[in-house]
């Protein structure tokens, strides 16, 4: 069942269109991430669902009911805020008990539920403390516990890890994932961090300027972006201007220098069109002396500019004859050496990993 | 033209020192007369002189036990408590509406509610006098409470609005999404967090009412009136030495209230 469904939901602020006719469904138990640059309408979308904003047009359904006109306190949702939003004048126990007291639950049951949920977030000993006596990560776990405790139909999270440092953020990502799998909670998660979206989501909804650019499972968005925007926003990419020569099961395109590139189908285009060719750096192989590159159908030769080791991966920058720069990425291994600037390098990649994308707009789904 | 070179910094420091010394002298000149009454209130019961020729608590004895000054003191106290309570009950919800609400004309409502701060107090007093006279309640304690509530409510609104700016709106949003209605959210989330600001505004309102002369003078009747009005009228007939004791008492009350405020602020 769809826990949340937006139907042609729009939000205008005067002349500013924050959200334009968005259709979206979040299924029960799903972890969906709204991803997009700042100002793309992520917060607006959450606030429409939560009921803190009314849509200019369109409707919002929660757990099968039209809730467009229902006030936020009657929607039965949970929300986790970036600044935790724990009540500073209440103990942790009272904070978690808050939604239960609103629901007029008996004291005994409140005690049992709060204890259970504190156990669940691995903080059983902090019930008597005030929020300010906890670290940021602990406070965020409490604010999550405060949602879990009343089993809302969906938990909305607006950049909940944005205030934490990198290490803690990664820890909390795993923790959130664990809770999601254990409790089968439906979650709608907002972030502008593509790595976070890729690690955590069942499905990513990529927003661009108030519209859904593309949605799908992380690997689909990463490996099959349908627009330059999507390819750029998720991960690194080599992006070249090419001219289409032929399309079909396999497309052929030409770099300005005349170098031919074989690509996956480019059915949206026709011969002569100017398009972009996109290849992920990890799909480009540096062919070493004596290696057989027969399994690749694209080859190029260039001069090494530089190599940079980034912990687990090494990036090579290579310049082709016609001033096109290629980034190739390999896993760092003890045998693999950096390239000497100026040395000749052979590169190879597969046509299946080469995507043709329209200069503007996106390929129809 | 060969004046000795002086570093600009030193010249600046010297004139700054001169300036602050002048300011301090000015303050002392203005403040000292107020403090002179304190030693005077410990003089003997028949004359007001500085320095007092003999020390005693006779004037305080007279103030507390042998005169009708105490009834005025209690009246001031009751009026100040009543006016403060009324100002809080009216001012805090008004401040909440002004700080959180979003409706057309809010700017003008704000100006209207805060206008008693801008209108000269004598004009307010005159207006209240005519209004209460037409209602037939001039001279009653209730009229004084209403009058002082008009005077103090804007200050409670201002302090509460300042306090509300420090109450994170996300907390109210969080409570709402968790299912709490507007009243539940107000009483369980906003109000507890606003308490220090309300307390400060309340103390301020109490002091303002306790000290107030003009409004009280216009709308109270001769026999039963507040302490400051009684002081003011008594000084017109005879300068009773008890006035020194009353002044000291008022100063001490103000000081205590301020100290309570400062103490609560720290906590
Ligand atoms: N209260 C508002 N008034 C006017 N414009 C707003 C308001 N809130 C958001 N916007 C605009 O709507 C767009 C989307 O904002 P938002 O949903 O906050 O984006 P995000 O959360 O993705 O950063 C932005 O262009 C923003 O400037
Ligand atoms: Mg946002």
């Amino acid at each position: 069942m769809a826990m949340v469904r937006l139907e042609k939901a729009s939000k205008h602020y005067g002349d500013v269109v924050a959200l334009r006719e968005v259709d979206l469904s979040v299924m029960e138990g799903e972890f969906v991430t709204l991803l997009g640059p700042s100002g793309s309408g992520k917060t607006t979308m959450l606030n429409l669902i939560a009921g803190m904003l009314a849509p200019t047009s369109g409707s919002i359904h929660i757990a099968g009911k039209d809730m467009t006109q229902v006030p936020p306190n009657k929607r039965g949702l949970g929300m986790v805020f970036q600044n935790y939003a724990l009540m500073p004048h209440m103990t942790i126990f009272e904070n978690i008990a808050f939604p239960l007291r609103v629901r007029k639950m008996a004291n005994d049951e409140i005690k049992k539920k709060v204890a259970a949920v504190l156990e669940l977030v691995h903080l059983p000993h902090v019930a008597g403390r005030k929020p300010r006596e906890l670290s940021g990560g602990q406070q965020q776990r409490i604010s999550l516990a405060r949602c879990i405790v009343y089993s809302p139909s969906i938990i909305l999270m607006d950049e909940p890890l944005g205030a934490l440092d990198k290490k803690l953020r990664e820890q909390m990502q795993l923790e959130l994932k664990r809770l999601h799998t254990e409790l089968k909670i439906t979650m709608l998660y907002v972030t502008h961090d593509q790595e976070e979206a890729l690690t955590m989501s069942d499905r990513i909804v990529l927003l661009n300027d108030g519209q859904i650019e593309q949605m799908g499972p992380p690997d689909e968005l990463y490996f099959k972006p349908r627009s330059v925007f999507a390819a750029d926003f998720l991960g690194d990419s080599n992006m070249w201007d090419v001219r289409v020569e032929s399309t079909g099961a396999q497309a052929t395109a030409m770099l300005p220098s005349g170098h031919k590139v074989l690509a996956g189908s480019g059915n949206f285009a026709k011969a002569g069109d100017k398009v972009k060719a996109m290849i992920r750096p990890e799909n480009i192989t540096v062919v070493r002396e004596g290696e057989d590159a027969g399994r690749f159908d694209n080859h190029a030769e260039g001069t090494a500019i530089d190599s940079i080791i980034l912990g687990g991966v090494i990036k090579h920058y290579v310049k082709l004859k016609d001033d096109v720069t290629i980034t190739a990425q390999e896993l760092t291994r003890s045998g693999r050496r950096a390239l000497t600037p100026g040395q000749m390098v052979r590169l190879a990649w597969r046509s299946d990993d080469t995507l043709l994308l329209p200069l503007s707009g996106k390929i129809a789904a | 033209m060969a004046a000795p070179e002086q570093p600009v910094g030193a010249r600046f420091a010297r004139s700054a020192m001169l300036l602050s010394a002048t300011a301090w002298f000015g303050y002392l000149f203005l403040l000292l007369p107020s403090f002179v009454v304190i030693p005077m209130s410990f003089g003997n019961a028949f004359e007001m002189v500085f320095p007092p020729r003999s020390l005693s608590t006779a004037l305080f004895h007279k103030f507390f036990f042998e005169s009708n000054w105490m009834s005025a003191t209690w009246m001031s106290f009751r009026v100040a408590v009543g006016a403060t309570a009324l100002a809080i009950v009216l001012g805090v919800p008004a401040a909440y509406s002004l700080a959180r609400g979003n409706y057309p004309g809010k700017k003008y409502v704000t100006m209207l509610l805060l206008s008693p701060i801008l209108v000269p107090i004598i004009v307010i007093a005159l207006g209240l006098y005519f209004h209460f006279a037409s209602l037939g309640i001039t001279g009653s304690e209730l009229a004084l409470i209403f009058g002082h509530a008009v005077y103090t409510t804007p200050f409670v609104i201002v302090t509460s609005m300042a306090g509300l700016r420090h109450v994170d709106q996300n907390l109210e949003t969080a409570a709402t999404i968790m299912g709490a209605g507007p009243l539940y959210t107000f009483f369980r989330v906003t109000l507890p967090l606003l308490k220090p600001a309300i307390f400060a505004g309340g103390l301020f309102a109490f002091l303002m009412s306790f000290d107030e002369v003009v409004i009280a003078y216009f709308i109270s009747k001769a026999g039963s009136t507040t302490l400051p009005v009684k002081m003011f009228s008594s000084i017109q007939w005879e300068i009773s030495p008890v006035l020194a004791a009353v002044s000291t008492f008022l100063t001490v009350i103000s000081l205590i209230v301020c100290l309570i405020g400062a103490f609560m602020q720290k906590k």
Side-chain angles (χ1 to χ4, degrees), chain B residues 25-42:
Chain B
F25 187 76
Y27 275 131
L28 284 179
F29 181 77
L30 293 172
L31 272 177
L32 272 179
S34 321
F35 287 117
V36 159
V37 296
I38 294 177
M40 274 162 70
S41 67
F42 290 97

Side-chain angles (χ1 to χ4, degrees), chain A residues 11-25:
Chain A
K11 180 69 192 177
H12 300 213
Y13 293 104
D15 291 342
V16 181
V17 182
L19 216 55
R20 198 190 306 266
E21 304 217 324
V22 167
D23 285 308
L24 171 72
S25 292

Side-chain angles (χ1 to χ4, degrees), chain A residues 4-41:
Chain A
V4 165
R5 192 157 54 84
L6 299 189
E7 251 175 44
K8 292 206 181 318
S10 298
K11 180 69 192 177
H12 300 213
Y13 293 104
D15 291 342
V16 181
V17 182
L19 216 55
R20 198 190 306 266
E21 304 217 324
V22 167
D23 285 308
L24 171 72
S25 292
V26 180
M27 306 313 277
E28 190 168 0
E30 210 181 5
F31 193 122
V32 174
T33 299
L34 293 181
L35 176 68
S38 178
S40 57

Side-chain angles (χ1 to χ4, degrees), chain A residues 52 73 77 79 81 83 85-90 98 101-103 146 150, chain B residues 168 170-171 173-182 184 188-189 192-193:
Chain A
M52 300 312 294
N73 57 325
L77 305 169
M79 188 141 167
F81 296 77
N83 71 352
L86 296 175
M87 311 296 170
H89 58 297
M90 296 180 187
F98 188 93
R101 293 207 193 287
V102 170
R103 286 164 178 73
R146 184 175 65 169
Y150 64 102
Chain B
D168 183 2
N170 270 339
L171 297 176
T173 307
T176 306
I177 291 176
M178 285 188 283
Y184 195 99
R188 296 299 166 84
V189 179
L193 292 170

Side-chain angles (χ1 to χ4, degrees), chain A residues 244 247 265-270 273 275-276 356-359 363-364:
Chain A
V244 179
T247 61
S265 82
N267 282 336
F268 67 92
K270 54 185 193 303
D273 282 357
V275 297
K276 294 271 185 187
L356 296 187
L357 298 170
L359 290 184
I363 306 170

Side-chain angles (χ1 to χ4, degrees), chain B residues 5 43 53 57 64 80 83 88 91 123 139 168 204 218 221 229 232 236 253 261:
Chain B
E5 290 265 324
R53 268 191 282 244
T57 53
F64 290 137
I88 288 174
V123 176
D168 183 2
F204 198 49
F218 269 69
K221 59 175 185 277
V229 174
F232 179 68
Q236 290 175 315
I253 291 282

